[in-house]
Amino acid sequence: MARFAFISDVHGNLQALQAVLRCIDEKGVDATLCLGDVVGYGPNPAECLDLIAERDIFTVQGNHDLSIIDDVEAHRFNPTARLSLEFTRGQLSESHRELIAAMPRIADLDDVTMCHASPVSDGCSDYIHDQQIAALAYGGFTNHCLFVGHTHIPIAFGTPEIGYAAVDPKNVRVAFLPPNLPLRLDCRYRYIINPGSVGQPRDGNPDASFGILDVSQRTFTVHRVAYPVEQTQAAIIEAGLPNFLAHRLRLGA
Ligand code: ZN
């Protein structure tokens, strides 16, 4: 039975993406799926989009991806994100913009729903950080699992409630996902799962994060991969992007 790797929030960090794809190849999966924000912040947006396309990795559209082709989304950005957006737009070709435009905001694959941020509202903005926001997001899907990115934190929520409605936050459990510790998926629960970020982790661990869903074992396991952070940092400085973007990679913040 199938094993699927979930990656998210690559953010133009080619060294991290290459390291994660190598690790996924070693572990062996049936398919790799991407939860959006391939570009933004990082120095190699074009190369990351090319690699995703070359490997035929199905990708839903993140807010940073959307901002490349949508000025309304771009105007929601903070100053650092705006600076990196100008740089990123300058790096991408018409065919990159077509790739981004073709990404769906939300997708159902078997018993799994994928979107970048949340399936309620426009699917591109809410941060599922806590039980309150997770409870609302349960109103946006009926599948067994929803996979999201956006917060850059490996985390899972679970509820026994079913149906197409927001659930009671008191019935939502939460667990941070440490590496190499499988989360057992109870078939009586519905889950919201975030595999963490490939290219800009924000949980205090600078190693690139991704996860593997094992359908027959009914588990989801996060993996962390060290990569040459200093190479990405040098490329950020070289590109003239804000120093802060290089600094945060070392901190995982
Ligand atoms: Zn992101």
Side-chain angles (χ1 to χ4, degrees):
M1 277 275 268
R3 279 157 55 85
F4 298 102
F6 286 89
I7 64 173
S8 190
D9 295 278
V10 174
H11 284 296
N13 186 338
L14 183 62
Q15 285 75 19
L17 179 60
Q18 287 170 332
V20 160
L21 292 178
R22 258 194 309 274
C23 182
I24 289 172
D25 288 345
E26 280 163 18
K27 293 187 181 301
V29 297
D30 296 280
T32 299
L33 306 162
C34 178
L35 298 158
D37 278 4
V38 178
V39 306
Y41 296 131
N44 295 106
E47 293 85 348
C48 289
L49 277 170
D50 290 342
L51 190 49
I52 293 275
E54 199 179 290
R55 308 230 345 179
D56 211 10
I57 294 172
F58 179 78
T59 302
V60 291
Q61 189 181 67
N63 54 315
H64 282 261
D65 306 316
L66 175 62
S67 71
I68 301 301
I69 55 172
D70 183 317
D71 283 328
V72 175
E73 186 63 29
H75 278 98
R76 298 162 78 158
F77 277 14
N78 66 42
T80 307
R82 287 287 286 279
L83 277 173
S84 82
L85 173 61
E86 290 315 309
F87 166 80
T88 303
R89 282 184 171 174
Q91 299 292 305
L92 300 182
S93 67
E94 191 50 41
S95 67
H96 291 126
R97 284 188 285 276
E98 283 166 13
L99 274 177
I100 287 170
M103 294 172 183
R105 296 273 187 97
I106 185 160
D108 286 318
L109 303 170
D110 261 336
D111 209 11
V112 160
T113 299
M114 295 169 57
C115 70
H116 179 64
S118 170
V120 294
S121 70
D122 60 3
C124 233
S125 59
D126 284 356
Y127 288 85
I128 307 181
H129 266 307
D130 57 33
Q131 286 103 319
Q132 268 72 27
I133 309 290
L136 296 174
Y138 276 110
F141 71 104
T142 53
N143 274 332
H144 185 226
C145 291
L146 166 70
F147 284 89
V148 295
H150 200 43
T151 65
H152 300 208
I153 307 283
I155 197 169
F157 300 89
T159 187
E161 291 194 33
I162 53 165
Y164 228 116
V167 306
D168 185 341
K170 289 202 283 295
N171 288 334
V172 179
R173 293 198 198 169
V174 59
F176 290 100
L177 300 176
N180 306 318
L181 186 69
L183 171 74
R184 298 209 69 83
L185 301 172
D186 185 327
C187 56
R188 294 162 301 180
Y189 273 67
R190 286 193 302 141
Y191 293 90
I192 297 172
I193 299 174
N194 188 324
S197 168
V198 170
Q200 197 192 78
R202 293 181 190 163
D203 63 343
N205 177 352
D207 292 348
S209 189
F210 74 97
I212 293 180
L213 173 69
D214 189 314
V215 176
S216 58
Q217 301 285 325
R218 301 191 76 86
T219 59
F220 181 80
T221 309
V222 163
H223 301 280
R224 303 303 286 256
V225 187
Y227 71 95
V229 174
E230 62 291 343
Q231 282 182 23
T232 305
Q233 290 179 307
I236 286 172
I237 304 300
E238 173 104 345
L241 287 161
N243 280 8
F244 161 69
L245 291 174
H247 190 55
R248 73 189 304 180
L249 292 183
R250 173 55 68 201
L251 302 175

